[in-house]
Every structure is written in C-alpha cells, then in structure tokens.
C-alpha cells in the first residue's frame, strides 16, 4: 500500500518530510475545527516551530460535527502533505505537527486532560463564521435552553463550539495552572473580541462560579488575529495527480497557494510564533479590514459573478477582461476607500497583489466553494463597506451590483449551501425587484443590514440581472 504513514514518510524525500522525532512531540495546542484551512495555515507555523527544535508545539486537532476528517488523518498516523502550487510549480512539505486527530464527543475526557496539562499553551479555532452566531448580541442560531440548563458534564449537551470551549476552559481553571491564549482564525473582524464575548456570555448563562468568570476575564487571552492563505477544498483528481508525481497516496492532502500570513494582536505567545513568521501588532483591525474588505470582498464578488457567468474557477474570472476590470474598480474605488488602511499598506498595491494571487489557476479554487455561506460572509465582506461608503459619500455603483449578484445567485439556484439559504431564497423570489431587495436584506438573521437608501440602486441592478447576461451588466458600468 502506498498511503502515507509513519512507516514510509521518511522515504518520501522529495516531499520534505519532518526530521524531528515524532514520538518526542508534546501536545501544546488544542485546535478546534480540523479544517483544510487549519491544516494548510496554522499547522504550518507549528510545524516550523517543531522543525526549529522546539518539540512543545504538537497539535491535537478536534473535529466537531463528524469524525470523518479525524478518521482519514488517523489512517495515515496524522501525517499529511501541504502542496504549495503556483503555475507549474509544486512545493510539497509533509507535516507532522498534528499529532492527534479526535472527534470531540468521543475524546472529551482526553481533551480535558490536555486542557489540564502544563504543556498546553494555546487553543486555536477555525470553526467558520456561522459558529459564532450564538452570541446573543448577534442574531441567528441561538443556544437552546436545554443546552444551557442541562447537565453540562454530559457530553451530549456539549453541542456547540462555545459550549465545548467553555468545557475545556473550566478544566483549565480547575487545574490551577496559568491561563492560555485562545486565537480565533476565522475571517471575522474582531474575531478575538467576538470569541471572548461568546465564551463569557455562555459561561454566565450557565451560572458558572464568580471565581471562574473572574479567572476567564483575567487569565484567558483572546487576541484578535488576521489569517491569510487560499486553501481550496481538495479534489480526488488532485490526490490522484499528486500520487502519480510523488509515488504515495495522501488522502488528507492540502493544496495551498505559497502566500502565508498571520497577524496577531500583541500577546506573550509571540515568543514562539514570531520567529516562524507570524506578525504581532498593537491593533489588528486595519489589517483585518483590508483583508476582509479588499480580498475576501473581491473573492465573494468574483464567486457570485462567476456563478452567474457559468465560470467554474475564480482564477478564470479574475483574468477575464470585463470581470477583472470590474473587480479592480470595485477594489480601488470602493472597498479600498471604505476604511482607514494600515499605515504600512497601500490599498491599490495590496489589491493588485490580491488579483495576482487569485489568478493562480493551479489552485483550482471553485467559485461555488467561495459562494457558500454568503449570509455569514457578506455582512463583514460587503455590507459593512457599503454602509461606510454611504457615510463617506463615496460611490457605491460596484458594491451594489455585487449585492444584486448575490441576490440573483440565491434566486436562480434551486438550493444553496447557506444556513439562511431557504429563508432568503423565499424572500428573494419576488417579481417586484424592490420588494425582493428590501425583504431579503432586512432579514433578521443578517448580522449587518445594508443602508435602506441603497435598496432602489440594488433593485435596479437586480432588474437588469434578471434579463441580461452578467457581463453585459458589468460592462454597462464603464459607460
Ligand atoms: C474565501 C477564503 O472561501 C472563502 O470564502 O474567500 O477562504 C479565502 O480563500 C481566504 O480567506 C484567503 O485567506
């Protein structure tokens, strides 16, 4: 059998296997949400720490909804490859940093033990935007009263990521050891502040002791962080192609772009993460705004435009003259002007680099993948910029067309991958475009509401998208 494993990994010399002793690695990190993004991004930072000779940064990766990803990881001793791709270039690295992969409901006791150990330094999260919606200050999926009131020691009641995180933090508190940092790596502005309030909210709803709540506030750090690297969902074709080239099968293969960035608010953990390339700054907010509005905003825009134009990969969309031009203008004239940029970054230069990165066809980043969960992504990627542009008195021509493209995407697809999909699709399918826009964008579950004075402008675009091909509509903006 040629599947990657402990027995054979060292023989795959051209895939850059780890040389440190896997048995000596201690678990220093609990990561919740064993996503491709975690494996392609944060795990690489931990791998670099291990490769530098500090073996205290092994990761236990926790899956939350099913054991599938953990099962595949375990079938190859938690070893996997990140294959960086650009053009015809390949740069694989076999990663050993994730030393354990577990499914929370099956491994709760083991995880509590790790939370109580002096080796634990860090908890990281990639749980996706929608998982934070249980914060009572944001609408959406609320914790049921049964979850809050039931016996919290019962693993069956630990259904949401915040309840599991609180569970781990209670164990840490009871151990009497110092607190740790909890770093959210999801694409949300103020992701650390949001995590903190979700955790504190839940802990007080659960009537946790005053001592625990005080400890939580003073000992657990929630630095905000900005993460950046395109890590598309893997396909069987990429697995097969890799197998052909490197002579082994990796069912947990990750394809990623070479670009890698992690900006974190100043925190003692910088002692370990800064030497391996993470950047520590006093305020993450301007970097996060740039990343989410100018990169992710453009990414989502491309996703809906490509979907409406029948284009499978965003890399094809961004190099199309009409679509590429539209995205450039959106980034330069609108998204990039909607906030105060970090002092060391020029939005126009930044946007140019983003378009170049997105044109990396070898990533095979599908427009349908980026289009998922629009109701969870657009509030921070598009709606926040829209409202800021109105406040600043700047043009909203492109951004309103992007919102209309999302609405049209909801309208024409039978089913979309979005937790609010069904409700929004019912509202959007109204022959009266203005009514459609106003009902959909006013839906309760959307965390940010678009300024209603723009509804007629959005409706005008939607009317056009209902009768004309998207590229013709984009082009009309030029004249
Ligand atoms: C993408 C992001 O799927 C998406 O919504 O926009 O995952 C994007 O690739 C990363 O944020 C890049 O850092």
């Amino acid at each position: 059998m040629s599947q990657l494993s402990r027995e054979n990994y060292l023989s795959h010399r051209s895939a850059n296997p780890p040389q440190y002793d896997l048995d000596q690695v201690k678990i220093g990190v609990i990561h919740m949400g064993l996503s491709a993004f975690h494996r392609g991004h944060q795990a690489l930072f931990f791998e670099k720490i291990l490769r530098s000779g500090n073996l205290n940064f092994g990761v236990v990766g926790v899956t939350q909804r099913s054991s599938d990803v953990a099962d595949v990881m375990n079938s190859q001793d938690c070893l996997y490859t990140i294959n960086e791709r650009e053009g015809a270039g390949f740069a694989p690295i076999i990663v050993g940093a994730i030393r354990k992969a577990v499914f929370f409901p099956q491994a709760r006791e083991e995880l509590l033990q790790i939370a109580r150990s002096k080796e634990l330094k860090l908890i990281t999260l990639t749980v996706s935007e929608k998982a934070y919606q249980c914060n009572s200050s944001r609408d959406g999926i609320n914790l049921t009263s049964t979850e809050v009131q039931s016996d919290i020691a019962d693993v069956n009641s630990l259904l949401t990521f915040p309840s599991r995180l609180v569970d781990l933090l209670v164990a840490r508190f009871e151990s009497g050891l110092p607190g740790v940092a909890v770093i959210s790596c999801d694409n949300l502005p103020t992701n650390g502040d949001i995590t903190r309030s979700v955790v504190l909210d839940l802990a007080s709803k659960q009537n946790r002791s005053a001592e625990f709540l005080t400890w939580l506030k003073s000992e657990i750090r929630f630095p905000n962080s900005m993460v950046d690297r395109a890590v598309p969902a893997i396909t069987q074709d990429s697995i097969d192609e890799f197998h052909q080239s490197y002579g082994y099968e990796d069912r947990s293969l990750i394809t990623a772009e070479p670009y890698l960035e992690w900006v974190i608010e100043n925190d003692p953990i910088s002692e370990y993460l800064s030497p391996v390339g993470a950047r520590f700054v006093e305020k993450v907010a301007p970097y996060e705004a740039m990343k989410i509005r100018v990169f992710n905003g453009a990414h989502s825009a491309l996703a809906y435009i490509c979907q409406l134009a029948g284009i499978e990969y965003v890399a094809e969309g961004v190099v199309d003259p009409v679509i590429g031009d539209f995205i450039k203008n959106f980034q330069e004239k609108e998204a990039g002007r909607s906030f105060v940029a970090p002092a060391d970054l020029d939005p126009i230069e930044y946007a140019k680099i983003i378009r170049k990165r997105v044109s990396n066809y070898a990533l095979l980043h599908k427009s349908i993948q980026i289009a998922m969960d629009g109701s969870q992504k657009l509030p921070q990627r598009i709606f926040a910029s829209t409202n800021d542009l109105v406040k600043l008195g700047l043009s909203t021509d492109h951004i309103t067309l992007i919102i209309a493209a999302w609405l049209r995407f909801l309208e024409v697809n039978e089913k979309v991958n979005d937790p609010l999909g069904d409700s929004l699709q019912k509202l959007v399918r109204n022959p009266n475009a203005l009514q459609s826009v106003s009902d959909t964008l006013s839906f309760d579950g959307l965390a940010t509401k678009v300024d209603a004075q723009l509804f007629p402008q959005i409706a005008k675009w939607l009317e056009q998208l209902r009768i004309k091909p998207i590229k013709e509509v984009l082009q009309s903006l030029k004249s």
Side-chain angles (χ1 to χ4, degrees), residues 37 129 187 227-231 257 291 295-296 299-300 357 365 369-370 372 377 381:
F37 184 66
E129 292 92 339
N187 278 319
V227 286
D228 195 2
R229 174 170 246 202
V231 185
E257 64 174 333
K291 159 75 191 344
F295 183 172
N296 293 115
H299 228 190
S300 288
R357 284 171 57 196
H365 210 158
Q369 189 197 341
I370 301 163
M372 74 180 268
K377 293 174 177 173
R381 294 181 179 200

Side-chain angles (χ1 to χ4, degrees), residues 293-407:
R293 294 180 180 208
V294 181
F295 183 172
N296 293 115
H299 228 190
S300 288
L302 267 170
Y304 300 116
I305 293 169
C306 286
Q307 279 294 301
L308 296 179
I311 299 175
E312 189 173 11
Y313 301 109
V314 285
E316 293 172 279
V318 77
V319 299
D320 174 282
V322 175
I323 301 176
D325 224 44
F326 173 86
I327 294 295
K328 176 173 185 283
N329 286 330
F330 158 67
Q331 290 177 307
E332 292 185 357
K333 298 188 181 151
E334 299 179 9
R337 291 196 186 160
S338 67
F339 62 99
V340 180
D344 58 345
L345 288 179
D346 167 25
I348 294 194
E349 256 320 290
Y350 178 87
K352 195 170 163 192
I353 295 168
I354 296 305
R355 291 193 301 279
K356 175 90 187 34
R357 284 171 57 196
V358 175
S359 73
N360 182 351
Y361 186 80
L363 287 180
L364 301 176
H365 210 158
K366 290 192 172 157
S367 53
I368 193 71
Q369 189 197 341
I370 301 163
M372 74 180 268
D373 285 355
S375 71
Q376 311 298 303
K377 293 174 177 173
L378 295 199
Q380 57 280 3
R381 294 181 179 200
I382 297 288
F383 302 169
S385 318
T386 310
N387 293 342
D388 287 338
L389 288 168
V390 173
K391 280 190 210 132
L392 293 164
L394 295 171
S395 148
T396 51
D397 290 344
H398 297 76
I399 208 156
T400 45
L401 174 42
I402 293 166
I403 298 173
W406 172 56
L407 297 178

Side-chain angles (χ1 to χ4, degrees), residues 390-466:
V390 173
K391 280 190 210 132
L392 293 164
L394 295 171
S395 148
T396 51
D397 290 344
H398 297 76
I399 208 156
T400 45
L401 174 42
I402 293 166
I403 298 173
W406 172 56
L407 297 178
R408 183 72 184 145
F409 166 82
L410 291 175
E411 187 169 74
V412 295
N413 282 287
E414 202 180 312
K415 188 116 191 86
V416 294
N417 194 347
D418 186 315
L420 303 183
D422 291 348
S423 316
L424 295 176
Q425 284 180 304
K426 273 192 202 114
L427 296 171
V428 82
R429 290 187 184 125
N430 186 323
N432 177 331
L434 186 58
Q435 200 62 50
S436 157
V437 167
S438 134
D439 291 350
T440 317
L441 296 180
S442 310
F443 186 69
D444 245 11
L446 295 171
T448 301
K449 304 284 186 296
V450 174
D451 191 324
Q453 49 174 300
L454 293 178
F455 290 176
Q457 198 182 358
I458 301 169
K460 183 197 84 184
W461 289 129
L462 181 59
E463 269 165 6
Q464 295 202 23
L465 290 174
R466 281 176 171 174

Side-chain angles (χ1 to χ4, degrees), residues 173 208-218:
F173 168 68
R208 298 285 180 181
S209 70
E211 290 77 16
F212 173 68
L213 293 177
T214 311
W215 176 87
L216 205 53
K217 285 181 196 148
S218 62

Side-chain angles (χ1 to χ4, degrees), residues 3 34 61 63 66-78 101-103 106 251-252:
Q3 193 181 355
L34 194 42
T63 64
S66 93
S67 66
D68 293 357
V69 175
D71 294 343
V72 175
M73 284 286 281
N74 283 310
S75 75
Q76 42 192 56
D77 304 311
C78 289
V102 299
F103 178 40
Q106 285 162 4
R251 294 187 193 156
S252 196

Side-chain angles (χ1 to χ4, degrees), residues 236-248:
Q236 188 58 44
D237 282 352
S238 302
I239 293 178
D240 294 343
E241 187 196 356
F242 186 85
H243 191 166
Q244 288 275 321
S245 312
Y246 286 89
Y248 69 92

